[in-house]
Amino acid sequence: MEILAFGVQADEKPLIERAFGDHEDVRCLDVFLNEDTAPIAAGYEIVSTSVNADLGADVLEILAAGGTRMVAQRSTGFNNVDLATAERLGMTVARVSYYSPHSVAEFAWALAMAVNRRIVRASIRTRDFDFRLDGLMGRDLHGRTAGVLGTGKIGEAFARIAHGFGMRLLGWDVAENPACAELGMRYVPKDELLARSDLITLHVPLMAETRHLIDAAALKAMRDDAILINSSRGGLIDTAALVGELRAGRFAGVGLDVYEAEAGLFFLDKSLEAVEDDTLARLVTFPNVLVTSHQAYYTEDAVGQIVDTTVRNVLNYREGRRSENVLVPRS
């Protein structure tokens, strides 16, 4: 029986086809799952989806009506899935609960270094044979303070790199990570972390409790010359409030690999279309802001692990086994 995979990137396709090859037939589509594309899945018992798929109630209803019984999400996050509707429809939903944390942590550091040392601006200048240094001055991060919001596997990997830079470490999480404490991280309230950190990075999941974790008040609590990095989920930051602070001339740099309204934009070529999202259009104009298109996870290592886990999730479903990756049914 063939599996239908939505939102497959060109680099990802051979990995998916090779991983499924010994077990299942798979049809890869570059279109993303939403209400308009869901009817394509009619007749497919299993569909696999990417991080920005729309798995709301209306889409799940269409999938179920077409015979889909299992959704294998190729991501860790599942804030895009209406789990209650999936359970009501009797669908199985699985995710990838783990992949290389180094992929995201290293990319978060790439963003931090790029905005701190003005690397994008410098590269654009040299392509035009402009070799001036005006406006390119950054700061040593050695001896400064990194604030890590969310100290799970990715936050820990980020903290280890920060420790290698010789930075002081502040952490905030619902539970302390002993490995981070061994690095010298001190856990403090969120407001204290924001006020004292030179570099702030977000590594928490997006849920009701964390939506707009960095809101207007949190942004005002940060230092004027702070660097803010988000490689987790766009909804963690109130983007409109961030734009307001940037317009006031605040922050040494902001690196965003995610955006709260990225669905329908990221992973697609919109270069020949008028930009309808005024907030994003304004955001990318700031010289101290770098926006990338949700690529922090996108390494051969991480994507390979994601695909392998997705295959195991499908095989477990076929054979009636459960694992920690199953979100629905809950028991």
Side-chain angles (χ1 to χ4, degrees), residues 8 25 40-41 79 94 114-115 119 126 143 148 150 163 182 187 211 236 240 253 267-268 281 290:
V8 177
D25 293 327
I40 301 173
N79 53 286
V115 297
I119 290 174
T126 56
V148 184
H163 183 261
E182 289 180 5
Y187 282 83
R211 181 171 293 279
L236 297 174
F267 307 140
L268 300 172
L290 175 57

Side-chain angles (χ1 to χ4, degrees), residues 176-251:
E176 295 187 9
N177 183 337
C180 290
E182 289 180 5
L183 296 172
M185 177 177 285
R186 199 161 60 81
Y187 282 83
V188 296
K190 185 183 74 170
D191 288 347
E192 181 179 346
L193 182 150
L194 296 175
R196 297 185 58 190
S197 297
D198 300 288
L199 168 61
I200 297 165
T201 183
L202 309 181
H203 300 293
V204 300
L206 178 61
M207 54 187 72
E209 297 81 4
T210 60
R211 181 171 293 279
H212 287 181
L213 179 70
I214 303 299
D215 57 11
L219 290 164
K220 290 188 181 302
M222 292 168 55
R223 296 180 175 184
D224 288 346
D225 61 353
I227 294 171
L228 174 63
I229 304 298
N230 186 12
S231 58
S232 182
R233 288 293 184 269
L236 297 174
I237 296 178
D238 182 339
T239 315
L242 175 61
V243 168
E245 296 301 311
L246 288 165
R247 291 182 64 183
R250 300 191 64 220
F251 307 133

